[in-house]
Amino acid sequence: MGYEIRTVRADDWAELKELRLAALRDPVARVAFVDTYENSVTRADDHWRAWATPIAEGGTATNVIAKDGHGRWVAMLALLDETGQTAPPVGAPGVIDDDSAGSPQIHVVSVYVRPEHRGTGVAEQLFRTAIDWTWQHTKAERIHLWVHADNPRAEAFYRRLGFTRTGETMPFPPSPEDLEYEMAMERPATPMALTPPGSDAASGPALAPRNGGAPA
């Protein structure tokens, strides 16, 4: 199945809201998102307009979505720039520029694929695009993410992409008794070629990774 993958514009806010709320209603959301449906559904339209507006245009986040052949939004990722040190976030799905570890790194967050589109390859298309973009457009030496201990499907997906556990763990914010594992990959010696958005790929995770406390 072919998908159109593009960045979100400010006037896409209603579609973005619908997809985000669908993600938070998904049964797997409990191990993938810090936010909840009950919290998000009460937010005013101005919140969603800001969330849909790219960071480069003064908004809250840069989002990337996938649409199926019927124009329905079926998958999404979000980008938050914490340091202002990245290039303008054009076509950069689901990444945070994060230098908290002492060297530039990218923190991948907030991924969702509708259930009926899982196993089609759209998740891997989005993730590989994010990885390739990071190496080509930022100075990051490392990409990392956190995966819930009860989300083995997502962890297997990340391993297939080249992420490995670092040995670091942390409590899952909504349920501190639960555990998350850090996974990471290092910058390759040779830059990777950008993955064409329409290329074939294996299946990806249902929902992952968590949104790291992002406001949406």
Side-chain angles (χ1 to χ4, degrees):
M1 178 182 294
Y3 293 96
E4 175 192 351
I5 299 175
R6 68 167 177 83
T7 53
V8 171
R9 302 179 295 266
D11 59 2
D12 291 321
W13 68 270
E15 290 87 351
L16 183 64
K17 175 183 177 181
E18 187 278 327
L19 186 57
R20 177 65 179 187
L21 293 179
L24 294 173
R25 285 194 300 268
D26 192 291
V28 190
R30 70 172 188 84
V31 296
F33 293 99
V34 172
D35 201 3
T36 65
Y37 174 82
E38 291 74 17
N39 187 42
S40 282
V41 75
T42 62
R43 289 190 168 118
D45 291 348
D46 285 348
H47 164 84
W48 298 104
R49 291 190 182 96
W51 189 249
T53 302
I55 294 170
E57 299 175 13
T60 303
T62 298
N63 291 269
V64 172
I65 55 93
K67 297 197 295 183
D68 65 13
H70 303 287
R72 187 187 188 211
W73 290 31
V74 300
M76 67 178 183
L77 308 97
L79 177 149
L80 303 178
D81 182 2
E82 291 186 331
T83 69
Q85 299 304 307
T86 59
V90 178
V95 296
I96 291 177
D97 183 26
D98 180 357
D99 62 359
S100 59
S103 61
Q105 64 178 354
I106 294 297
H107 184 182
V108 183
V109 299
S110 195
V111 180
Y112 178 68
V113 178
R114 292 190 194 269
E116 63 271 28
H117 288 268
R118 295 169 191 169
T120 65
V122 66
E124 187 159 343
Q125 289 178 36
L126 290 175
F127 244 91
R128 291 197 182 280
T129 300
I131 293 168
D132 294 346
W133 184 92
T134 297
W135 301 144
Q136 293 189 20
H137 297 285
T138 79
K139 296 180 180 179
E141 294 299 325
R142 178 177 183 262
I143 303 175
H144 78 128
L145 55 87
W146 294 90
V147 61
H148 195 285
D150 292 337
N151 203 350
R153 182 184 179 198
E155 181 173 354
F157 170 73
Y158 302 140
R159 287 187 183 279
R160 190 165 68 248
L161 290 173
F163 289 89
T164 58
R165 284 195 197 181
T166 66
E168 295 293 325
T169 63
M170 68 178 291
F172 183 53
S175 303
E177 66 276 12
D178 293 345
L179 194 66
E180 290 187 297
Y181 305 118
E182 185 187 42
M183 301 184 73
M185 66 165 58
E186 305 296 325
R187 176 182 285 273
T190 302
M192 302 167 66
L194 197 64
T195 303
S199 64
D200 292 332
S203 63
L207 274 150
R210 69 168 177 86
N211 66 359

